[in-house]
Amino acid sequence: YLCIYAAMLDSFIRMNATSDRIDFPEFMASYNHVRDYGFVAFSAMDHVKEATEIYGELDVDSSGEISYGEWCNYIIASEMKAGTKLGKLMDKQRAIHTEEKSTSTQTYVKSVRKGIPKKIVKTFKPITVCGAYSTGNSVSQELMDFLRVFQPLAEKSLVGKKDRQNKGMVLFEEFCTYIKEKEVESKTDLGKLLSGNMSPIVPKASPNKVNTRRSADPDGSKNAAKPMIICGAYQVGHSASQELMDFVRVFQPLAEKSLVGKKDRQRKFAYADQNHNGYASLAEIEVYIKYSLTSAFPKIKAKDLFLRFRKCFIKAFQRAKSLHDAEGDGQLNGTTCEEYVTFSEFRLFNAYLCIYAAMLDAFSQINATSDRIDFGEFKSSYSYVQNYGFVALSSITNDNQAIDCFNELDIDGSSQISYSEWCNYIIEAEVKAGTELGKLM
């Protein structure tokens, strides 16, 4: 059961690696990643229609999100309904009956692995658990490593071989000895360590190497000394939060016209283009952003950054997709290319993502609790955003200028400033001043 539930969890994580629930856009963007996990429930999910129906069946409590519990229950119910060996194993009464009557040992099931995307899995022999569940083509290397340790313990032959006291149990000492022998036999680093044949490894000093997984400057004291520049057009200002610096550090390299940036974009666009049709929807773009943040930071921090800047994703997406103007009329005419982001627009999407994130960060400096800024908040906090690198905000030096700026920002006369008004005002000021950022936008 440990191996089987691990496989269910591994497939669940393929949909959403940053939280404990899967929403509809995430499911629709990634359902093709779990079809080859070896579960009946997902093997026939070939089209959007089937995926939509299965999502409805998975969402038992109608919350609009799928929990890991709902995920597991649906998979087990599908196996039992289909009468598979896995279904029988997960049926407690039937599993116990089989355990008492059967004397056969494990039978390995050969599977033909076709069309496995190179980016998803490496070539490896599938692992079969109790002759009932065989790992599919889409499983992660981490799941394979996990099963390799515990699958042997699920087979009857292990008890017969390792139970030296003949009590029908495996002692902790026997368990540890078995793991050690396997590690030594496989000549892994752990095996060398446990056998006493590993020399201490002294890491070489690399003061210039940037650690992309964790911030090397948690208090933000070095941000002012080493600001980041996006596309040579926008330099993150000294007032930026540490969260913005961390966020931009992930996506800024993909916005640059360099060989490294291009190769990185080609690799990352594969996560944005989930259907491999050359177009990335907003839901797929969010999957890409989640993947990038989770790859760079611990899970909790990645989730916090994703939620903190999520409001700017659609702004960057809309700005990038509007670059495609086949008709030359400056308008979106509903063509496919105009409704999605393509690879040719992906570089500037990452640039816009960083820039709109900076605008949102400045907006949050004045009001971090709601989506609008009133005059009192603006007047008392405008000094916090003077050094963000935006012309519109750097020119506010006194209360009178703050009043004039607020009136210009409040386009709809509601006495409150929305995030959209905020962004439009900043962009117009850059364009009017003829800055590089204005040209980029």
Side-chain angles (χ1 to χ4, degrees), residues 140-377:
S140 68
Q141 184 62 52
E142 289 80 3
L143 176 63
M144 295 299 288
D145 294 338
F146 186 86
L147 296 191
R148 235 175 242 117
V149 176
F150 297 102
Q151 177 266 348
L153 293 161
E155 310 306 322
K156 295 177 183 178
S157 58
L158 177 66
V159 176
K161 181 179 179 181
K162 303 307 295 182
D163 181 15
R164 296 185 177 88
Q165 295 187 354
N166 204 23
K167 294 181 179 178
M169 297 184 295
V170 177
L171 300 179
F172 177 65
E173 183 178 351
E174 292 173 331
F175 183 77
C176 294
T177 301
Y178 173 78
I179 293 176
K180 175 182 175 182
E181 289 173 356
K182 287 295 182 182
E183 295 291 339
V184 173
E185 181 183 326
S186 300
K187 297 181 180 179
T188 64
D189 287 342
L190 178 57
K192 294 176 184 178
L193 180 65
L194 293 173
S195 65
N197 295 327
M198 175 176 275
S199 301
I201 299 174
V202 180
K204 296 181 180 180
S206 53
N208 296 325
K209 185 175 180 181
V210 178
N211 182 351
T212 58
R213 288 194 62 82
R214 297 179 185 271
S215 172
D217 180 30
D219 61 0
S221 60
K222 296 181 182 179
N223 289 344
K226 296 181 180 180
M228 286 176 283
I229 301 176
I230 293 101
C231 292
Y234 172 65
Q235 178 173 299
V236 180
H238 302 331
S239 298
S241 69
Q242 184 61 41
E243 289 77 10
L244 175 63
M245 298 296 288
D246 291 336
F247 186 86
V248 171
R249 195 172 287 116
V250 174
F251 299 100
Q252 177 265 344
L254 286 94
E256 305 308 317
K257 288 183 177 179
S258 64
L259 182 61
V260 175
K262 184 176 181 180
K263 288 183 176 180
D264 203 13
R265 284 194 297 276
Q266 290 172 337
R267 182 170 59 87
K268 293 290 183 67
F269 188 72
Y271 287 91
D273 180 18
Q274 296 286 321
N275 298 323
H276 307 291
N277 60 0
Y279 303 110
S281 65
L282 178 59
E284 290 173 317
I285 284 291
E286 288 203 349
V287 171
Y288 149 71
I289 294 172
K290 267 186 182 177
Y291 165 77
S292 299
L293 292 172
T294 305
S295 300
F297 300 106
K299 182 177 178 180
I300 295 177
K301 181 169 184 177
K303 182 179 180 180
D304 289 343
L305 289 174
F306 180 87
L307 295 176
R308 179 183 176 95
F309 294 104
R310 191 172 192 177
K311 188 184 293 186
C312 74
F313 300 168
I314 189 170
K315 291 284 187 183
F317 178 80
Q318 290 174 336
R319 177 73 63 169
K321 76 175 186 177
S322 67
L323 295 173
H324 189 94
D325 185 16
E327 292 79 9
D329 57 5
Q331 301 293 324
L332 291 178
N333 299 295
T335 59
T336 300
C337 292
E338 292 178 346
E339 295 304 318
Y340 296 88
V341 168
T342 63
F343 181 73
S344 63
E345 299 151 353
F346 190 55
R347 181 182 71 83
L348 285 179
F349 165 77
N350 284 279
Y352 295 148
L353 184 63
C354 295
I355 294 165
Y356 276 109
M359 295 184 198
L360 178 58
D361 195 63
F363 186 89
S364 300
Q365 288 278 18
I366 296 180
N367 187 345
T369 58
S370 70
D371 58 356
R372 288 184 173 269
I373 299 171
D374 61 31
F375 177 70
E377 292 169 331

Side-chain angles (χ1 to χ4, degrees), residues 354-426:
C354 295
I355 294 165
Y356 276 109
M359 295 184 198
L360 178 58
D361 195 63
F363 186 89
S364 300
Q365 288 278 18
I366 296 180
N367 187 345
T369 58
S370 70
D371 58 356
R372 288 184 173 269
I373 299 171
D374 61 31
F375 177 70
E377 292 169 331
F378 186 79
K379 186 177 179 181
S380 63
S381 305
Y382 69 82
S383 60
Y384 296 158
V385 298
Q386 290 174 320
N387 294 318
Y388 259 85
F390 295 122
V391 169
L393 305 180
S394 62
S395 60
I396 309 172
T397 58
N398 56 57
D399 290 353
N400 290 331
Q401 290 176 339
I403 294 172
D404 293 338
C405 181
F406 183 87
N407 291 332
E408 292 175 6
L409 277 160
D410 183 20
I411 302 295
D412 60 3
S414 63
S415 298
Q416 291 183 319
I417 305 168
S418 67
Y419 174 55
S420 292
E421 290 175 326
W422 181 264
C423 294
N424 292 338
Y425 181 76
I426 290 175

